[in-house]
Amino acid sequence: MIKIGIVDDESIFRDAAASVIRDALGPESVQADVRTFPDGESVLDDLRSKGRFDILVADIQMSGMDGMELGRRVRRMCPDTAIVFLTSYEEYAAESYRIEAYQYILKQDIKSRLPGVIRELARRCAAQAQEYRIAGSGAEKVKIFFRDIIYLYKSKGAKYVNYVTDDGIFRERNSLGAVLEELDARIFIPVERGYVVNMDRICRISGDTIYLEKGYEVQVSRARLARVKQEISRFWGGRN
């Protein structure tokens, strides 16, 4: 399920964008949770309570918090969210690129340009969603998608690896090393003995603490701190 947020303080444009997006994804047979919001604060509240958006379509000119400020905050909270800006004025293009927006679309071009942009982003999300592993023991098995893993850990002396995901915590009798061999080393990074985080799900890092989506926090060991910060900076820099 692809999660798409649309924010515009004018309902006519908000509803128009939602309609265009649903029509664009229909022929692609892509399941999408499309949510609309009247302002930036409601978007941030939704992010804090329900987690990430794969795609955020945001109007730039809004009363209260404008789209640029919202984009900056979303980028800090969820660096991998694809942001698409809508506006009536071309002069905002340069600023949108500084926030690393995926695309900048004039409102007059929504019907002609937004469908192609959304389909391309949906294909990328769908490709990521194909990567998963089957975890569990005995008769109980669960499919865990790599993109849904926020972090995983195995306590010292324990027999089980714990997967902290969007849908809860699952565990599997396995070694952490064996699991790491299946995960993409460019995305998953060990930060402490027995702890591995998904860099796609990091909101920020402050001191020796990594703040993850859904309010999770993981501390980085002093010995690994410099390298972990370097890897996170590299990863975020490569998401342009």
Side-chain angles (χ1 to χ4, degrees), residues 60-61 68 87-96 98 104 106:
I60 291 180
Q61 300 86 25
M68 292 297 179
T87 182
S88 300
Y89 306 100
E90 293 184 3
E91 60 263 29
Y92 286 98
E95 179 66 16
S96 72
R98 281 195 286 271
Y104 163 93
L106 290 173

Side-chain angles (χ1 to χ4, degrees), residues 34-213:
V34 181
R35 307 177 204 164
T36 60
F37 304 91
D39 53 59
E41 287 295 346
S42 58
V43 172
L44 297 178
D45 288 342
D46 192 90
L47 275 174
R48 296 184 189 105
S49 62
K50 299 180 181 178
R52 61 188 284 161
F53 288 109
D54 296 295
I55 305 167
L56 179 65
V57 179
D59 182 26
I60 291 180
Q61 300 86 25
M62 293 188 292
S63 57
M65 184 190 308
D66 64 23
M68 292 297 179
E69 176 60 24
L70 174 62
R72 282 186 280 268
R73 295 193 187 189
V74 170
R75 183 61 69 222
R76 288 195 294 269
M77 295 172 68
C78 305
D80 63 317
T81 296
I83 300 175
V84 178
F85 280 126
L86 304 178
T87 182
S88 300
Y89 306 100
E90 293 184 3
E91 60 263 29
Y92 286 98
E95 179 66 16
S96 72
Y97 292 136
R98 281 195 286 271
I99 299 176
E100 299 176 3
Y102 177 80
Q103 194 59 262
Y104 163 93
I105 297 175
L106 290 173
K107 286 188 173 181
Q108 66 195 48
D109 298 329
I110 284 178
K111 290 184 178 180
S112 62
R113 292 193 56 206
L114 187 57
V117 169
I118 292 297
R119 282 193 289 265
E120 173 59 27
L121 289 172
R123 291 187 192 108
R124 294 187 185 188
C125 294
Q128 292 176 348
Q130 298 304 312
E131 300 175 343
Y132 65 89
R133 63 175 277 104
I134 303 297
S137 302
E140 293 189 12
K141 300 289 184 180
V142 61
K143 180 186 287 186
I144 299 177
F145 291 95
F146 293 166
R147 61 173 293 163
D148 291 339
I149 298 173
I150 300 173
Y151 74 98
L152 55 155
Y153 67 94
K154 185 174 184 180
S155 301
K156 185 177 181 180
K159 298 178 179 179
Y160 292 88
V161 174
N162 298 276
Y163 301 86
V164 181
T165 76
D166 289 326
D167 298 316
I169 300 176
F170 304 95
R171 67 177 191 165
E172 174 188 28
R173 186 162 181 161
N174 203 344
S175 71
L176 190 59
V179 174
L180 276 172
E181 288 181 2
E182 296 186 30
L183 300 176
D184 189 338
R186 297 170 298 178
I187 298 175
F188 289 87
I189 182 172
V191 299
E192 175 60 278
R193 183 178 178 85
Y195 281 77
V196 177
V197 303
N198 181 348
M199 288 190 285
D200 250 344
R201 311 305 298 273
I202 295 174
C203 298
R204 64 187 176 93
I205 180 169
S206 179
D208 64 352
T209 303
I210 291 176
Y211 295 86
L212 296 149
E213 293 176 16

